Amino acid sequence: MESRHLIAAPRPSCFFEDDSTVSVLRRSAAEGVGTFLLMISVVGSGLQKGSSPLSSSIAISGSLIALILAFGAVSGGHFNPTITLVQWSRNQRRLDCTVGYVTAQILGSVAGGLVAGLMFDLTPGRPTCEPPTLSSLASEGIATFGLMTIVFCSTKSTSKFVGPFAVGLWLMGAIVSTPTGSIANPAVAIGLLATPGSASVLAVLTFIMIQIASGSLAAQITSVFYPDPRRL
C-alpha cells in the first residue's frame, strides 16, 4: 500500500514528506526538479565571473534552503541520494520509493549540469581517470559527515522548518572551509561529469562511496544522541 512508503517517520519532521499517500511518481518528480535547480546553482555559481568560495557558498546554501522549503512538504526535500538511502536502510522508506527518488536525483543533477553549461555557452568537459587525493577524500568524508549529522539530527526537531536553515548554514561554512567545496552529494558528484569542468570518473566513484559511508556513520551517531525511546 502507498501509505506504507514511510514506516517510522515522526510527524511533522524535516526531510520527510507530509503525505506519504501521494504517488511515488509525483514525489520523485519533486526530487528531480529540486536537484536540477540545485545543480544549476552549484555549477552556475562557480562559472560566474568574479566568483569566490564565499559567493558560491551564499548562492548554493541560499538556493538549497529555498528548495527544501518549497519541495519539502511533497518529497521531504532530499535532493541527495545519501539521505534517501539511509532512510531506506533504517526502514523509513520503501525500496520502490527509494529507487524513484535516487533515479530522479541523478537525472536532475545531470540535466542541471548540462543546462548550466549551456547558459554560460560552455560544453561539457572530457572526464578523466585521475585518482583522488587523500586530502580530497578526507574533505568529502568530513563535509558529508557534518551535513548528514545536521540532516538526521534535524529530523528529531519539533519544528520541520529547522532543517532547511540548519543545512544551509552548515553548507555555507563547509563550502568555504573544505578543499573540495563540500560536494557531499552523490547526485551532484555524478552531475559534475556533465559540466564544463574536467571531473575524474575515478574520483567521483570514490567520493560516492565515501559520502554514503559518512552518511551511514552520521545516522549511527544521531541514534546515540537521540535514541529511540522504544529501545531504551
Side-chain angles (χ1 to χ4, degrees):
M1 294 177 60
E2 187 69 18
S3 61
R4 293 179 58 198
H5 273 283
L6 298 179
I7 300 171
R11 289 294 183 268
S13 178
C14 306
F15 306 106
F16 287 96
E17 51 268 53
D18 287 354
D19 185 0
S20 63
T21 66
V22 173
S23 71
V24 172
L25 181 60
R26 188 191 303 178
R27 286 184 279 146
S28 298
E31 284 295 302
V33 172
T35 311
F36 168 77
L37 295 173
L38 174 62
M39 191 63 180
I40 288 180
S41 176
V42 169
V43 178
S45 63
L47 294 176
Q48 193 67 251
K49 291 183 178 179
S51 66
S52 67
L54 179 59
S55 62
S56 292
S57 72
I58 294 173
I60 296 169
S61 60
S63 298
L64 183 57
I65 291 171
L67 289 168
I68 297 173
L69 290 173
F71 292 105
V74 179
S75 68
H78 297 185
F79 319 127
N80 189 325
T82 299
I83 301 174
T84 306
L85 290 169
V86 170
Q87 287 186 355
W88 169 70
S89 71
R90 300 177 76 81
N91 296 320
Q92 296 173 329
R93 193 168 297 280
R94 279 181 41 168
L95 180 59
D96 55 348
C97 182
T98 300
V99 171
Y101 273 32
V102 172
T103 301
Q105 290 157 357
I106 293 173
L107 292 176
S109 179
V110 172
L114 291 172
V115 171
L118 180 64
M119 291 192 306
F120 286 87
D121 197 25
L122 297 171
T123 58
R126 174 178 291 184
T128 70
C129 291
E130 295 181 8
T133 62
L134 183 60
S135 63
S136 67
L137 296 180
S139 173
E140 278 305 294
I142 293 298
T144 306
F145 176 76
L147 177 63
M148 292 300 113
T149 299
I150 298 294
V151 166
F152 299 131
C153 285
S154 293
T155 64
K156 306 298 182 179
S157 172
T158 56
S159 171
K160 66 176 296 179
F161 298 106
V162 167
F165 294 97
V167 165
L169 289 172
W170 165 263
L171 193 58
M172 184 184 296
I175 289 173
V176 175
S177 59
T178 58
T180 56
S182 184
I183 299 171
N185 185 328
V188 171
I190 293 172
L192 290 176
L193 295 173
T195 64
S198 57
S200 165
V201 174
L202 185 57
V204 166
L205 292 175
T206 311
F207 283 176
I208 290 172
M209 291 188 286
I210 291 290
Q211 290 159 355
I212 294 175
S214 297
S216 299
L217 178 60
Q220 294 296 325
I221 294 294
T222 300
S223 67
V224 174
F225 295 153
Y226 296 93
D228 187 342
R230 294 171 296 181
R231 298 181 181 178
L232 296 179

